Amino acid sequence: MPVTAERETLRPRAHAPELHLRVGTRLSIALAVPIASLIAAFAVFEDHANRVRSREEVSREGRTIARTVQLAAGNALRDRQLSDVKSLIDDISNHESILGVRLFDADGRLEYAPANLSRAPVLPAEEVRRRIRTGRVVQERFRVEGRPVIAWLAPLTRPPGPPLGASEILQLESFVEEDAAASSRAIAVLAAMLIVAITLTVLGSPGSP
């Protein structure tokens, strides 16, 4: 009888380590789920932030180039050096993020544009004249052959005389999408690696189901 009593006393203790391991596994899973959710939320937030930063950077670059071309073209036209303006347009067009530059006369008609902009939509002359009268650089977005483009139309003035026309910079916005896509892929890979590492840790722990 004493031996039997001892066996009955020890039998419940044999289940204690297994119960402890199961509790540890459940705790690991409970921690892994919110961690994985936080990683996914961070990836989405970082992707959005990268796109916003890239768009702001492209916008600043485009406005700076538009101002530079506006000054250079305006000075050349005041000196009646139209050939210099055309040379400037040819040099800048199709360079890095700049798809091309167009020149409008004082009546709003398209006066010069590189060949690669032949399929880009052109504003009506009345609209160009209206924007010239505002005296401000006007920005708009559209697509050229499926590619997103930012257009910057800058009036060319001759104070105190009448306007000389306008220059228009067409800037490729696809650079933003490419940079954002590369950043998103890097974040997605990092998030996937962390989630896999957490999963393997949980599944490889002793007593995991």
Side-chain angles (χ1 to χ4, degrees):
M1 290 299 293
V3 175
T4 304
E6 184 179 352
R7 287 178 180 175
E8 290 178 354
T9 303
L10 294 175
R11 194 172 296 165
R13 295 178 184 175
H15 295 281
E18 181 180 353
L19 179 62
H20 174 73
L21 291 174
R22 286 180 179 177
V23 171
T25 300
R26 290 174 182 174
L27 179 60
S28 298
I29 295 174
L31 291 174
V33 171
I35 291 175
S37 300
L38 286 174
I39 292 173
F42 170 77
V44 172
F45 173 79
E46 188 65 18
D47 176 68
H48 175 72
N50 285 336
R51 290 177 185 273
V52 171
R53 284 193 296 268
S54 297
R55 285 194 177 94
E56 290 176 349
E57 182 178 348
V58 168
S59 182
R60 285 194 299 269
E61 177 187 346
R63 185 173 291 275
T64 301
I65 295 174
R67 291 289 189 185
T68 302
V69 173
Q70 179 187 33
L71 292 174
N75 290 333
L77 287 178
R78 281 193 294 270
D79 297 336
R80 302 183 183 279
Q81 299 294 328
L82 181 59
S83 59
D84 291 347
V85 178
K86 292 180 179 180
S87 297
L88 175 66
I89 290 175
D90 292 336
D91 290 341
I92 297 177
S93 295
N94 213 18
H95 177 70
E96 294 185 354
S97 66
I98 302 302
L99 181 60
V101 182
R102 297 192 290 204
L103 178 67
F104 295 88
D105 63 19
D107 294 324
R109 295 188 299 264
L110 181 63
E111 185 168 353
Y112 184 75
N116 65 313
L117 295 183
S118 58
R119 296 187 179 182
V122 181
L123 287 171
E126 311 84 59
E127 179 61 20
V128 176
R129 288 198 302 270
R130 187 189 68 79
R131 296 186 182 189
I132 290 175
R133 286 194 297 269
T134 65
R136 300 190 304 270
V137 177
V138 181
Q139 172 191 353
E140 66 173 335
R141 283 179 165 83
F142 51 81
R143 287 184 174 270
V144 176
E145 297 182 339
R147 293 182 294 178
V149 169
I150 308 176
W152 306 85
L153 192 140
L156 304 177
T157 59
R158 182 177 50 189
L164 300 171
S167 60
E168 185 181 40
I169 309 295
L170 274 63
Q171 184 184 24
L172 285 171
E173 198 174 15
S174 56
F175 278 73
V176 175
E177 301 299 327
E178 293 171 1
D179 291 343
S183 178
S184 298
R185 286 193 296 269
I187 294 173
V189 169
L190 176 61
M193 290 174 61
L194 290 174
I195 291 173
V196 169
I198 293 172
T199 303
L200 292 177
T201 301
V202 170
L203 295 179
S205 61
S208 60

